[in-house]
Amino acid sequence: MTRALPEDDPETADVTPPEASGMASDGMTPGGTAHRAEIDGLRAIAVLAVVFYHFGVPGFGGGFVGVDIFFVISGFLIGGILWREHQATGRLALGAFYMRRIRRLAPAYFVMAFAVLAIGSLILLPSDFRETAKGVIAATVYLSNILFFRQAGYFDGAAEEKIMLHSWSLSVEEQFYIFLPLVFLLFARNRTVLMAALGGCFALSLISSVVMTFQAHTAAFYLFPFRAWELLAGVGLAILTIEKPDLWRPHQALSWAGLALVLASVVLVQPGAAFPGLQVILPVLGTVLLIGNGTQNNLVNSALSQRVPVLIGLMSYSLYLWHWPVFTLTTYLQERYAGPAETALWIAISFVLAGLSWRFVEQPVRRATGLSNWALLAAVVAASASALMLSWAVYKTDGLPQRFDRQAQVHIAATGDFIQDFSRCAVADTGPFAGLELCRIGPDYGAPNLLIWGDSHVRAYFEGLDQAAHEANRAGLVIWRAGCAPLFDIRKQESAATRAQDAACGAANAQIRQALAMSPDLRDVLLIGRWSYYASGKGVGSDAHNSIRLSSERFGVMTQDALLAKALQATVTEIALQDRAVYVLRQPPEIAHYNAPKVARALAHGRLSEQLARRIGQITVTDATRRAAGGEMALARSGARILDSWRWFCDPFLCDAVQNGVGQFFDNNHVTNAAARRMREVFYPAMLRQVP
């Protein structure tokens, strides 16, 4: 998951009072009348940290905390403006406030969004172009953080393929622009109550963020309620600066401490499941110290106020907007990470585009005194409508697949053929499966009496399972968890999973064990998994970098393939002793080096011949059998009835990722929806069994 930067420059660092300067109040900061150049320098640190982190520059492993620095800056500037206006006039001029936001943010955003759509039409595969268009729609209506939160999942595309991912933090900022004025309006009559409400929101958000980081990491990362405290830290600092100017005692040690915390965060904070959590307190506190002590004459503030960092800070919004599309689109086109020299080139290009955007888009619109608010609003409405209509057209036409030739379209179709309808899935509120997501398949009537339990392969087969269940007129329940073998008494450690996800696998399997003992209506069980992966402990070919380690207190120490066989046999035996029929699906052959998106992209961009693409999508039965050996041994010893999937993909000599001109694999081990529907007969023995 990438870290993106929020709207980095919500206000300039000018502090001219609004009543004296009209529209120029966009630059006001609380508590003074001079330009706060050191805030621009702080912006430079934040944006450079994010840019260097995204481009993989060594030493910036925590550079994503630039987002948190900007959240505090935004809260300080926006909060100060609203508080000062409210205290001076007793009201909020929301129309003027939002027009300043539009004038500040919209022009550069729309130039970037239309450029992304134009370039995307030339190089993005249909599924990626469709998702990019969806991202433009979400960003234009200020909901992209919710979109990317909902998309975070096992089959979700890599961050580097989400061209509009950086807009999630813009949406957080824009939601803040709605939230903060609303709080002011609700508690406007009593200043003490208003401050208490802001403090309460800060505390609630902070506590919730820490708790949710470990319970629902993606929610804590993307959603505004769990990020609000960072913005409110800036708001609180602004109010303190205005109301209690003598309370803060400037000292150069505070600036040095703030700088140390910010720089240490950029270097040391770790991405992953523990972020944001408690780690984010470091950059937030450092930013508060730097801003709060920013008017003190010391070496830190002097360095931040120099011409170069100030210039970078002033153009940081445009730099943020452009650097991520430059990175993602070039990486997408080349399908590799650039070396040091090329990385420097792409960073330089990001700066050039940012400079042009700042000089010829941002600045002219902000300084155009002849451009009335009504004219600007009309232009933004027209741009929004155009962006939404263009993006909707791309989305509804599935990314315009006709842009590519027939040879590429086979693999292009496979690339996008993994999205299923999970409208019948829900987390159980009560009963033995409470807390687990259950998906019903087959007819809507009657109690389900078949359980399909497994890992991400279950998701890949979902449409075939559902169609087979309808044809057999049998209702069933589906439970799946990525990278989690359907086995009792097994723990796992997987390179692609967090500790929490590893622990959740064991906990879910233990609950399913208890639930089966309490659910006599579930008469049959079908187990599905990537057995070769669990037997060998590692991926193969295009996913050779993935690894998994199984262990068990019950079965002791043994080789991983032997442990898989022992655990599968014990699981099948335990379920069978409950008077249930147990079936196990033989995993389809793994086509080691095949990956539909990569093959499709290489064909579409002319880097791969049709003949070589065909060879990449094939594997000999001998090689496929060798890879599958450990898993096959476990299935043979399990005592379950084996459902054989190989005949749908292999002849006596070769297994092929393309059958009858239709792609069958999304990657080297997950089948497409087309394949799942085509091979659905393999599930018939479990579906058609007469239940006593």
Side-chain angles (χ1 to χ4, degrees), residues 3 19 24 29 37 80-81 110 135 156 173 228 230 234 242 263-264 282 395 413 428-429 432 489 494 505 595 617 673:
R3 314 300 175 190
E19 60 274 13
T29 61
I81 287 174
F110 282 114
D156 184 27
E173 289 266 0
E230 301 176 45
I242 295 170
L263 295 181
L282 297 179
Y395 181 75
D429 295 325
D489 300 311
E494 189 176 15
C505 169
N595 182 283
N673 292 334

Side-chain angles (χ1 to χ4, degrees), residues 190-210:
N190 189 307
R191 182 163 64 173
T192 301
V193 174
L194 174 57
M195 295 175 68
L198 291 170
C201 290
F202 169 86
L204 182 61
S205 175
L206 173 58
I207 294 170
S208 299
S209 176
V210 173

Side-chain angles (χ1 to χ4, degrees), residues 23 74 82-83 99 101 159 184 192 252 255 269 345 348 371 387 392 439 458 503 517 519 531 624 630 661 669 681:
M23 189 192 70
S74 297
L82 294 179
W83 182 266
M99 285 310 303
R101 299 293 83 236
F184 271 74
T192 301
Q252 64 175 342
S255 293
V269 169
L345 173 63
L371 179 62
W392 182 252
C439 300
V458 175
S519 306
W531 309 114
N669 67 96
E681 291 179 20

Side-chain angles (χ1 to χ4, degrees), residues 611-631:
Q611 182 179 10
L612 185 54
R614 185 181 302 113
R615 290 175 57 189
I616 291 173
Q618 295 176 333
I619 190 171
T620 66
V621 171
T622 300
D623 288 342
T625 301
R626 185 180 300 115
R627 163 64 181 175

Side-chain angles (χ1 to χ4, degrees), residues 235-272:
V235 174
L237 177 62
I239 295 174
L240 179 66
T241 303
I242 295 170
E243 296 297 319
K244 303 287 185 181
D246 298 328
L247 186 62
W248 188 286
R249 297 180 180 274
H251 194 285
Q252 64 175 342
L254 297 177
S255 293
W256 284 107
L259 183 63
L261 287 171
V262 166
L263 295 181
S265 301
V266 169
V267 175
L268 300 176
V269 169
Q270 297 295 310

Side-chain angles (χ1 to χ4, degrees), residues 7 168 211 306 500 669:
E7 185 275 295
W168 77 267
V211 172
Q306 295 303 305
N669 67 96

Side-chain angles (χ1 to χ4, degrees), residues 297 306 328 342 574 578 616 676:
N297 186 18
Q306 295 303 305
T328 53
E342 192 176 340
E574 182 174 332
Q578 297 169 349
I616 291 173

